[in-house]
Amino acid sequence: MSLISLLRLSSVLLLVFLMPALANGASQPVTQGWEYRWGDSPFTSEGVPQWVLQDAPEKWTSIGFPSNPPGREGRENVWFRVTLPAGEWQEPVLYIFSVDLIVQVWVDGEKIYQYGEFDAEGRGRFEGWPWHEIFLPEGYEGKPVYFRVFSNYTDIGLWGEVSIMDHPDLVLYILKNSLEALAIAGFATLIALLAIIFALLQTEKKTFASISLFTLASALMLVSESQASLLIAYQPLMWDYLAAGSYYMLPVALALLLEQWLTNHRPWLINLIWKVHLVYLVGALLGALAGVFDLSSTFPPFDALFLVSLVIIFAVVLRRIRRMLREQQILLLAFGIFCGLLIVDMAVAHGVLPWGRVPVSWGMLLFSLAVVVISLWHYAGTQEALKRLNVSLEEKVAERTAKAEALARREQARVRMLTFENEKNRILGDVLTELQDCLGLKQAFGLLVRALPDICSPLKGAFYQRGSSDRYDRVAVWGFSRPVPLPVLLDARKGLPEPSRLPQLRQWHGAEGVDREVESATLCFWVNVESASAGNVTEGILLLEGDGVFDNAESEYGSARLLAALDQAIQRISITLSSIALREELQKFSYEDGLTGLKNRRYFDQLFEHESAVAQRNDLPLSLLIIDIDHFKKFNDTHGHEAGDNALKIVAGILQKQFRESDLVCRYGGEEFVVVMPGATSEAAMDKASQLSSAVRDVAIIHREEDLGALTVSVGVASWPESGEKPLQILTLADRALYRAKEAGRNRVEVFG
């Protein structure tokens, strides 16, 4: 907020608090002699409306008040006129409570006031609903004053009250009319802040947040709709946006609060109401800000929606009100009074009731006072509960002292265990760092096998790695004297030991057919490696002998900690191995086309540069073919992309069968393929290209048991040294040859040169 705005706010608040008994300034209502005329006036060449220059009494019709004349029938322009009475004024101004929507005021052919912008068609956008202060020229008495009005809103014309008064009296009059709303808004804001504090302190009680939201929205609505807001900052549209947002937020906050009170009854209707109103709030404000529609047009639909929501809420609450707490019933009563005043205000705004000031702020005051009374009631109950709690706490002190001594003894054992764990974590950290530097799983498992004895010490054990045919071979054993009481291999088909369920130790006996039975309490850990292609696979099994070790842990707690540490270590190793497997697969996928299984363009670019250098260095021939499927776009458009993908796979299979293992077949992109033939002359490449063309023509494309016919290909061939260029340039030459093949009618082979 700027310094000027702060000074304005301070001045307004000072006037508000220094005027407890502010008297009405003298004013003269203008209620007689009004006339109206539908449509808009033509203008003279000097830009003066012709209607203000001619009396034409037969064109004007009398009206009691310049608002909503009869027979509108979709019209958006209307003129009003009135002859202002004489009076004893120092600085006479014409005060208008509000206008729907924009207005010009003319006296003696001179424009003395304008709010909003009129275009060449007499239309304009909504600019807000401020009160209007129109300074009257000297000698205005007895002269007609003309009001040019445009409105595409439900109402059209002047609204509220129209009076003549002195400028200083108008400012005091505005402050007096706003004093009540500002004071109650301040009180409601204080209640909202207290509710926010309670919501932060007691996060399990969400009702405080809903109460805070409701009171804040109400306070902001009171301030925004008060006439004094324009004395703080003359930004009518800004205040109307704030008023609309806070007004539209009221049913959201109300429904949220009721939903929390009725949560045991699953109030899906209440839940739907606050969601619908929240969507309306966001859509209305964003649409108005984006210029899709005027903010003014969002009020009538909301009022209708709000009335329907209140009826639904009343029906839901009426069925369950007896089951609510007393304070909830009191707040609901305050809600009801506040909403009743809002409904009366709606009726006045839409012309259902005659204009008058509806004390909506008193409804907000009643709700705020209800919150204060309930809070004081709860505070008294809390104090009584605290007294009882103090007595209970004193009785528990002795009991907790005894528990603390037991915990101290346990803490000593825990410290010794932590020292042991820290050493193991250091070893594990070093192993994980080394594993991350491995290039593949084979290297990683070799390092892991060497490190497991240090990781598992002082436990004796063995490690088994998955081999072929679902067998797990013992690749490491430590801590045992001969003979080793653990099997040489594990057969997955005959059953593997289940992973140990910590902290419980279980006896496991090997399946039938293994070399020996495990004769002691054995711990089992699976080393699972997850990859994108194979999924989660058990790549290793760790068996550890637990007899005699856990007796030294001094407690069940120590045993559990040791087991948990081992389990976490194996999990971290599994995660690291999985990342290595994923890295290996990504390396593979980066050079492979996912659809056809051929190498991709990235791989081609790297290998072609290498083969070109080898051919030039060793003076060996090098040929290159570029293949393009003819009319493939038409095939896709006719049979669909799924059939097109199937066709690409079939052509890729033919390519792989037609060329040598030493030739490189790649998918170059889209329906184009490229073949690098190291050591092949131009004649050999031409023969292969012709064979390929025939092979493609002879194979029918079958998709979903339907014969789609055969495809044809165009092939461009270039060879080195026949081309007379450097080997790397034959790619461009082959592309030119392919272009000639297409130009010549497709389904053919062209050789460059």
Side-chain angles (χ1 to χ4, degrees), residues 2-49:
S2 67
L3 180 59
I4 295 176
S5 297
L6 286 172
L7 290 174
R8 282 182 181 173
L9 178 60
S10 302
S11 302
V12 170
L13 292 177
L14 183 62
L15 283 171
V16 167
F17 288 108
L18 291 180
M19 294 186 306
L22 187 65
N24 275 323
S27 64
Q28 185 175 10
V30 182
T31 58
Q32 302 294 326
W34 286 98
E35 295 178 306
Y36 75 93
R37 183 175 179 180
W38 284 116
D40 198 13
S41 171
F43 284 73
T44 66
S45 59
E46 291 79 15
V48 178

Tab-separated table of all heavy atoms in Angstrom, residues 2-49:
chain	number	residue	atom	x	y	z
A	2	SER	N	0.578	2.226	-0.835
A	2	SER	CA	1.386	3.429	-0.931
A	2	SER	C	1.205	4.300	0.303
A	2	SER	O	0.276	4.125	1.108
A	2	SER	CB	1.005	4.205	-2.200
A	2	SER	OG	-0.308	4.685	-2.072
A	3	LEU	N	2.118	5.296	0.455
A	3	LEU	CA	2.042	6.217	1.586
A	3	LEU	C	0.763	7.032	1.540
A	3	LEU	O	0.130	7.276	2.588
A	3	LEU	CB	3.276	7.148	1.542
A	3	LEU	CG	3.363	8.194	2.664
A	3	LEU	CD1	3.393	7.512	4.023
A	3	LEU	CD2	4.583	9.077	2.472
A	4	ILE	N	0.329	7.431	0.336
A	4	ILE	CA	-0.911	8.226	0.211
A	4	ILE	C	-2.106	7.406	0.687
A	4	ILE	O	-2.974	7.895	1.419
A	4	ILE	CB	-1.101	8.686	-1.248
A	4	ILE	CG1	0.027	9.661	-1.637
A	4	ILE	CG2	-2.456	9.330	-1.442
A	4	ILE	CD1	-0.014	10.103	-3.081
A	5	SER	N	-2.154	6.114	0.306
A	5	SER	CA	-3.260	5.266	0.741
A	5	SER	C	-3.265	5.084	2.245
A	5	SER	O	-4.308	5.081	2.892
A	5	SER	CB	-3.164	3.902	0.051
A	5	SER	OG	-3.292	4.050	-1.336
A	6	LEU	N	-2.066	4.965	2.832
A	6	LEU	CA	-1.982	4.832	4.289
A	6	LEU	C	-2.481	6.083	4.986
A	6	LEU	O	-3.188	6.020	6.005
A	6	LEU	CB	-0.538	4.533	4.698
A	6	LEU	CG	-0.035	3.114	4.407
A	6	LEU	CD1	1.459	3.014	4.690
A	6	LEU	CD2	-0.790	2.106	5.252
A	7	LEU	N	-2.115	7.251	4.440
A	7	LEU	CA	-2.582	8.501	5.042
A	7	LEU	C	-4.095	8.617	4.928
A	7	LEU	O	-4.778	9.054	5.864
A	7	LEU	CB	-1.899	9.688	4.352
A	7	LEU	CG	-0.385	9.838	4.641
A	7	LEU	CD1	0.202	10.950	3.795
A	7	LEU	CD2	-0.158	10.122	6.121
A	8	ARG	N	-4.649	8.203	3.754
A	8	ARG	CA	-6.105	8.240	3.602
A	8	ARG	C	-6.780	7.338	4.622
A	8	ARG	O	-7.755	7.711	5.268
A	8	ARG	CB	-6.487	7.773	2.189
A	8	ARG	CG	-6.286	8.816	1.114
A	8	ARG	CD	-6.740	8.227	-0.201
A	8	ARG	NE	-6.560	9.153	-1.303
A	8	ARG	CZ	-6.746	8.835	-2.573
A	8	ARG	NH1	-7.107	7.596	-2.886
A	8	ARG	NH2	-6.567	9.712	-3.533
A	9	LEU	N	-6.236	6.122	4.758
A	9	LEU	CA	-6.834	5.176	5.702
A	9	LEU	C	-6.781	5.714	7.123
A	9	LEU	O	-7.759	5.635	7.872
A	9	LEU	CB	-6.097	3.833	5.604
A	9	LEU	CG	-6.560	2.732	6.548
A	9	LEU	CD1	-8.029	2.402	6.301
A	9	LEU	CD2	-5.700	1.491	6.381
A	10	SER	N	-5.646	6.299	7.498
A	10	SER	CA	-5.509	6.848	8.853
A	10	SER	C	-6.514	7.976	9.075
A	10	SER	O	-7.131	8.065	10.142
A	10	SER	CB	-4.078	7.357	9.061
A	10	SER	OG	-3.151	6.323	8.852
A	11	SER	N	-6.676	8.827	8.061
A	11	SER	CA	-7.611	9.951	8.204
A	11	SER	C	-9.043	9.458	8.367
A	11	SER	O	-9.796	9.939	9.208
A	11	SER	CB	-7.510	10.868	6.974
A	11	SER	OG	-6.193	11.348	6.817
A	12	VAL	N	-9.427	8.465	7.547
A	12	VAL	CA	-10.786	7.950	7.626
A	12	VAL	C	-11.042	7.304	8.978
A	12	VAL	O	-12.069	7.535	9.628
A	12	VAL	CB	-11.031	6.938	6.483
A	12	VAL	CG1	-12.353	6.210	6.693
A	12	VAL	CG2	-11.027	7.647	5.140
A	13	LEU	N	-10.083	6.478	9.446
A	13	LEU	CA	-10.267	5.835	10.749
A	13	LEU	C	-10.336	6.854	11.873
A	13	LEU	O	-11.109	6.714	12.825
A	13	LEU	CB	-9.123	4.844	10.995
A	13	LEU	CG	-9.112	3.607	10.082
A	13	LEU	CD1	-7.885	2.754	10.374
A	13	LEU	CD2	-10.381	2.796	10.270
A	14	LEU	N	-9.524	7.928	11.782
A	14	LEU	CA	-9.564	8.974	12.803
A	14	LEU	C	-10.936	9.633	12.831
A	14	LEU	O	-11.520	9.851	13.904
A	14	LEU	CB	-8.466	10.014	12.514
A	14	LEU	CG	-8.336	11.152	13.537
A	14	LEU	CD1	-7.976	10.585	14.901
A	14	LEU	CD2	-7.285	12.157	13.081
A	15	LEU	N	-11.476	9.933	11.650
A	15	LEU	CA	-12.808	10.548	11.607
A	15	LEU	C	-13.869	9.600	12.147
A	15	LEU	O	-14.793	10.001	12.852
A	15	LEU	CB	-13.150	10.931	10.156
A	15	LEU	CG	-12.454	12.201	9.625
A	15	LEU	CD1	-12.703	12.324	8.136
A	15	LEU	CD2	-12.963	13.435	10.354
A	16	VAL	N	-13.712	8.300	11.838
A	16	VAL	CA	-14.702	7.334	12.301
A	16	VAL	C	-14.752	7.272	13.815
A	16	VAL	O	-15.808	7.274	14.437
A	16	VAL	CB	-14.386	5.940	11.704
A	16	VAL	CG1	-15.191	4.870	12.418
A	16	VAL	CG2	-14.699	5.918	10.220
A	17	PHE	N	-13.589	7.239	14.441
A	17	PHE	CA	-13.560	7.089	15.897
A	17	PHE	C	-13.774	8.408	16.637
A	17	PHE	O	-13.999	8.404	17.843
A	17	PHE	CB	-12.227	6.459	16.317
A	17	PHE	CG	-12.138	5.018	15.959
A	17	PHE	CD1	-11.309	4.588	14.934
A	17	PHE	CD2	-12.907	4.068	16.608
A	17	PHE	CE1	-11.235	3.267	14.591
A	17	PHE	CE2	-12.831	2.732	16.272
A	17	PHE	CZ	-11.997	2.334	15.263
A	18	LEU	N	-13.681	9.542	15.933
A	18	LEU	CA	-13.923	10.829	16.590
A	18	LEU	C	-15.344	11.331	16.373
A	18	LEU	O	-15.663	12.454	16.742
A	18	LEU	CB	-12.925	11.874	16.053
A	18	LEU	CG	-11.462	11.672	16.463
A	18	LEU	CD1	-10.597	12.761	15.860
A	18	LEU	CD2	-11.301	11.636	17.970
A	19	MET	N	-16.242	10.510	15.770
A	19	MET	CA	-17.607	10.957	15.486
A	19	MET	C	-18.637	10.006	16.091
A	19	MET	O	-19.430	9.397	15.400
A	19	MET	CB	-17.833	11.028	13.969
A	19	MET	CG	-17.001	12.075	13.288
A	19	MET	SD	-17.467	12.205	11.558
A	19	MET	CE	-17.290	10.534	11.037
A	20	PRO	N	-18.630	9.800	17.398
A	20	PRO	CA	-19.607	8.885	17.980
A	20	PRO	C	-21.026	9.376	17.861
A	20	PRO	O	-21.967	8.597	17.896
A	20	PRO	CB	-19.161	8.800	19.445
A	20	PRO	CG	-18.452	10.089	19.697
A	20	PRO	CD	-17.780	10.438	18.417
A	21	ALA	N	-21.215	10.694	17.778
A	21	ALA	CA	-22.585	11.235	17.701
A	21	ALA	C	-22.728	12.123	16.486
A	21	ALA	O	-23.265	13.230	16.556
A	21	ALA	CB	-22.920	12.017	18.971
A	22	LEU	N	-22.227	11.670	15.363
A	22	LEU	CA	-22.235	12.476	14.139
A	22	LEU	C	-23.664	12.763	13.685
A	22	LEU	O	-24.504	11.878	13.619
A	22	LEU	CB	-21.487	11.714	13.036
A	22	LEU	CG	-21.257	12.461	11.740
A	22	LEU	CD1	-20.338	13.645	11.957
A	22	LEU	CD2	-20.683	11.513	10.710
A	23	ALA	N	-23.940	13.987	13.385
A	23	ALA	CA	-25.299	14.381	12.980
A	23	ALA	C	-25.423	14.326	11.475
A	23	ALA	O	-24.456	14.400	10.737
A	23	ALA	CB	-25.606	15.794	13.477
A	24	ASN	N	-26.661	14.218	11.001
A	24	ASN	CA	-26.936	14.245	9.562
A	24	ASN	C	-26.647	15.629	9.004
A	24	ASN	O	-27.072	16.638	9.562
A	24	ASN	CB	-28.395	13.907	9.296
A	24	ASN	CG	-28.616	12.414	9.222
A	24	ASN	OD1	-27.772	11.700	8.713
A	24	ASN	ND2	-29.727	11.961	9.766
A	25	GLY	N	-25.898	15.685	7.879
A	25	GLY	CA	-25.733	16.950	7.190
A	25	GLY	C	-27.012	17.274	6.441
A	25	GLY	O	-27.799	16.401	6.079
A	26	ALA	N	-27.257	18.551	6.198
A	26	ALA	CA	-28.464	18.956	5.472
A	26	ALA	C	-28.401	18.412	4.056
A	26	ALA	O	-27.368	18.462	3.393
A	26	ALA	CB	-28.562	20.472	5.458
A	27	SER	N	-29.530	17.893	3.581
A	27	SER	CA	-29.605	17.356	2.226
A	27	SER	C	-31.020	17.564	1.706
A	27	SER	O	-31.972	17.741	2.469
A	27	SER	CB	-29.247	15.867	2.194
A	27	SER	OG	-30.189	15.112	2.923
A	28	GLN	N	-31.158	17.576	0.392
A	28	GLN	CA	-32.455	17.795	-0.251
A	28	GLN	C	-32.696	16.663	-1.247
A	28	GLN	O	-32.096	16.634	-2.323
A	28	GLN	CB	-32.480	19.151	-0.967
A	28	GLN	CG	-33.845	19.506	-1.554
A	28	GLN	CD	-33.853	20.911	-2.141
A	28	GLN	OE1	-32.801	21.537	-2.280
A	28	GLN	NE2	-35.030	21.405	-2.456
A	29	PRO	N	-33.536	15.682	-0.897
A	29	PRO	CA	-33.795	14.576	-1.822
A	29	PRO	C	-34.446	15.071	-3.112
A	29	PRO	O	-35.258	15.997	-3.098
A	29	PRO	CB	-34.747	13.670	-1.038
A	29	PRO	CG	-34.560	14.051	0.393
A	29	PRO	CD	-34.221	15.512	0.395
A	30	VAL	N	-34.050	14.443	-4.221
A	30	VAL	CA	-34.631	14.758	-5.530
A	30	VAL	C	-35.529	13.582	-5.903
A	30	VAL	O	-35.065	12.565	-6.420
A	30	VAL	CB	-33.535	14.982	-6.587
A	30	VAL	CG1	-34.172	15.346	-7.931
A	30	VAL	CG2	-32.557	16.050	-6.141
A	31	THR	N	-36.812	13.732	-5.617
A	31	THR	CA	-37.743	12.616	-5.829
A	31	THR	C	-38.908	12.964	-6.744
A	31	THR	O	-39.734	12.101	-7.044
A	31	THR	CB	-38.303	12.151	-4.470
A	31	THR	OG1	-38.948	13.265	-3.830
A	31	THR	CG2	-37.196	11.617	-3.579
A	32	GLN	N	-38.987	14.218	-7.191
A	32	GLN	CA	-40.134	14.648	-7.988
A	32	GLN	C	-39.687	15.105	-9.377
A	32	GLN	O	-38.589	15.634	-9.556
A	32	GLN	CB	-40.874	15.812	-7.293
A	32	GLN	CG	-41.380	15.496	-5.886
A	32	GLN	CD	-42.456	14.439	-5.882
A	32	GLN	OE1	-43.269	14.367	-6.809
A	32	GLN	NE2	-42.472	13.621	-4.846
A	33	GLY	N	-40.573	14.930	-10.365
A	33	GLY	CA	-40.364	15.490	-11.690
A	33	GLY	C	-39.460	14.686	-12.602
A	33	GLY	O	-38.982	15.194	-13.613
A	34	TRP	N	-39.219	13.418	-12.304
A	34	TRP	CA	-38.340	12.607	-13.147
A	34	TRP	C	-39.078	12.166	-14.411
A	34	TRP	O	-40.268	11.848	-14.378
A	34	TRP	CB	-37.859	11.376	-12.386
A	34	TRP	CG	-36.820	11.668	-11.345
A	34	TRP	CD1	-37.013	11.837	-10.011
A	34	TRP	CD2	-35.430	11.821	-11.584
A	34	TRP	NE1	-35.838	12.097	-9.378
A	34	TRP	CE2	-34.828	12.090	-10.333
A	34	TRP	CE3	-34.611	11.783	-12.712
A	34	TRP	CZ2	-33.477	12.301	-10.186
A	34	TRP	CZ3	-33.248	11.978	-12.563
A	34	TRP	CH2	-32.694	12.245	-11.315
A	35	GLU	N	-38.332	12.140	-15.535
A	35	GLU	CA	-38.844	11.649	-16.809
A	35	GLU	C	-37.797	10.736	-17.449
A	35	GLU	O	-36.598	10.860	-17.165
A	35	GLU	CB	-39.163	12.815	-17.759
A	35	GLU	CG	-40.279	13.725	-17.281
A	35	GLU	CD	-40.514	14.882	-18.233
A	35	GLU	OE1	-39.522	15.608	-18.523
A	35	GLU	OE2	-41.641	15.058	-18.695
A	36	TYR	N	-38.246	9.840	-18.307
A	36	TYR	CA	-37.304	8.933	-18.972
A	36	TYR	C	-37.620	8.851	-20.452
A	36	TYR	O	-38.709	9.185	-20.908
A	36	TYR	CB	-37.357	7.538	-18.346
A	36	TYR	CG	-38.573	6.729	-18.723
A	36	TYR	CD1	-38.544	5.858	-19.809
A	36	TYR	CD2	-39.760	6.845	-17.994
A	36	TYR	CE1	-39.666	5.125	-20.160
A	36	TYR	CE2	-40.882	6.115	-18.339
A	36	TYR	CZ	-40.825	5.239	-19.427
A	36	TYR	OH	-41.924	4.511	-19.787
A	37	ARG	N	-36.637	8.349	-21.183
A	37	ARG	CA	-36.780	8.180	-22.632
A	37	ARG	C	-35.862	7.035	-23.074
A	37	ARG	O	-34.649	7.077	-22.843
A	37	ARG	CB	-36.391	9.474	-23.346
A	37	ARG	CG	-36.573	9.423	-24.866
A	37	ARG	CD	-36.283	10.799	-25.455
A	37	ARG	NE	-36.415	10.814	-26.900
A	37	ARG	CZ	-36.226	11.890	-27.670
A	37	ARG	NH1	-35.916	13.059	-27.095
A	37	ARG	NH2	-36.367	11.823	-28.985
A	38	TRP	N	-36.420	5.991	-23.656
A	38	TRP	CA	-35.619	4.839	-24.087
A	38	TRP	C	-34.751	5.192	-25.298
A	38	TRP	O	-35.116	6.022	-26.100
A	38	TRP	CB	-36.517	3.666	-24.457
A	38	TRP	CG	-37.103	2.937	-23.278
A	38	TRP	CD1	-38.403	2.840	-22.942
A	38	TRP	CD2	-36.370	2.205	-22.302
A	38	TRP	NE1	-38.560	2.097	-21.816
A	38	TRP	CE2	-37.301	1.685	-21.392
A	38	TRP	CE3	-35.019	1.951	-22.078
A	38	TRP	CZ2	-36.950	0.925	-20.299
A	38	TRP	CZ3	-34.642	1.179	-20.992
A	38	TRP	CH2	-35.602	0.680	-20.119
A	39	GLY	N	-33.625	4.517	-25.417
A	39	GLY	CA	-32.739	4.683	-26.558
A	39	GLY	C	-31.599	5.624	-26.242
A	39	GLY	O	-31.363	6.005	-25.090
A	40	ASP	N	-30.845	5.996	-27.287
A	40	ASP	CA	-29.708	6.886	-27.110
A	40	ASP	C	-29.827	8.041	-28.096
A	40	ASP	O	-30.312	7.883	-29.225
A	40	ASP	CB	-28.392	6.135	-27.338
A	40	ASP	CG	-27.213	6.889	-26.748
A	40	ASP	OD1	-27.445	7.840	-25.971
A	40	ASP	OD2	-26.069	6.519	-27.059
A	41	SER	N	-29.356	9.197	-27.680
A	41	SER	CA	-29.494	10.407	-28.480
A	41	SER	C	-28.451	10.468	-29.585
A	41	SER	O	-27.297	10.078	-29.373
A	41	SER	CB	-29.351	11.633	-27.569
A	41	SER	OG	-29.273	12.816	-28.341
A	42	PRO	N	-28.832	10.965	-30.749
A	42	PRO	CA	-27.797	11.312	-31.741
A	42	PRO	C	-27.014	12.533	-31.255
A	42	PRO	O	-27.480	13.284	-30.396
A	42	PRO	CB	-28.609	11.612	-33.002
A	42	PRO	CG	-29.960	11.997	-32.511
A	42	PRO	CD	-30.207	11.232	-31.243
A	43	PHE	N	-25.834	12.721	-31.824
A	43	PHE	CA	-24.951	13.802	-31.388
A	43	PHE	C	-24.754	14.809	-32.517
A	43	PHE	O	-24.747	14.451	-33.698
A	43	PHE	CB	-23.595	13.245	-30.936
A	43	PHE	CG	-23.631	12.605	-29.591
A	43	PHE	CD1	-24.235	11.358	-29.404
A	43	PHE	CD2	-23.076	13.236	-28.493
A	43	PHE	CE1	-24.269	10.759	-28.174
A	43	PHE	CE2	-23.106	12.640	-27.252
A	43	PHE	CZ	-23.703	11.410	-27.079
A	44	THR	N	-24.562	16.049	-32.107
A	44	THR	CA	-24.238	17.090	-33.084
A	44	THR	C	-22.795	16.962	-33.500
A	44	THR	O	-22.027	16.176	-32.934
A	44	THR	CB	-24.492	18.478	-32.486
A	44	THR	OG1	-23.556	18.694	-31.413
A	44	THR	CG2	-25.907	18.593	-31.945
A	45	SER	N	-22.418	17.761	-34.486
A	45	SER	CA	-21.025	17.729	-34.945
A	45	SER	C	-20.062	18.159	-33.852
A	45	SER	O	-18.886	17.805	-33.865
A	45	SER	CB	-20.860	18.632	-36.178
A	45	SER	OG	-21.241	19.973	-35.864
A	46	GLU	N	-20.554	18.951	-32.875
A	46	GLU	CA	-19.690	19.366	-31.759
A	46	GLU	C	-19.668	18.321	-30.645
A	46	GLU	O	-19.030	18.524	-29.602
A	46	GLU	CB	-20.171	20.705	-31.171
A	46	GLU	CG	-19.976	21.913	-32.074
A	46	GLU	CD	-21.055	21.986	-33.148
A	46	GLU	OE1	-22.074	21.274	-33.005
A	46	GLU	OE2	-20.865	22.725	-34.141
A	47	GLY	N	-20.365	17.192	-30.838
A	47	GLY	CA	-20.350	16.143	-29.831
A	47	GLY	C	-21.346	16.347	-28.717
A	47	GLY	O	-21.179	15.781	-27.630
A	48	VAL	N	-22.394	17.149	-28.944
A	48	VAL	CA	-23.410	17.393	-27.923
A	48	VAL	C	-24.642	16.562	-28.276
A	48	VAL	O	-25.109	16.583	-29.416
A	48	VAL	CB	-23.778	18.882	-27.848
A	48	VAL	CG1	-24.870	19.114	-26.805
A	48	VAL	CG2	-22.543	19.719	-27.542
A	49	PRO	N	-25.219	15.828	-27.306
A	49	PRO	CA	-26.434	15.064	-27.593
A	49	PRO	C	-27.577	16.000	-27.988
A	49	PRO	O	-27.830	17.008	-27.331
A	49	PRO	CB	-26.722	14.345	-26.273
A	49	PRO	CG	-25.440	14.365	-25.515
A	49	PRO	CD	-24.737	15.598	-25.918
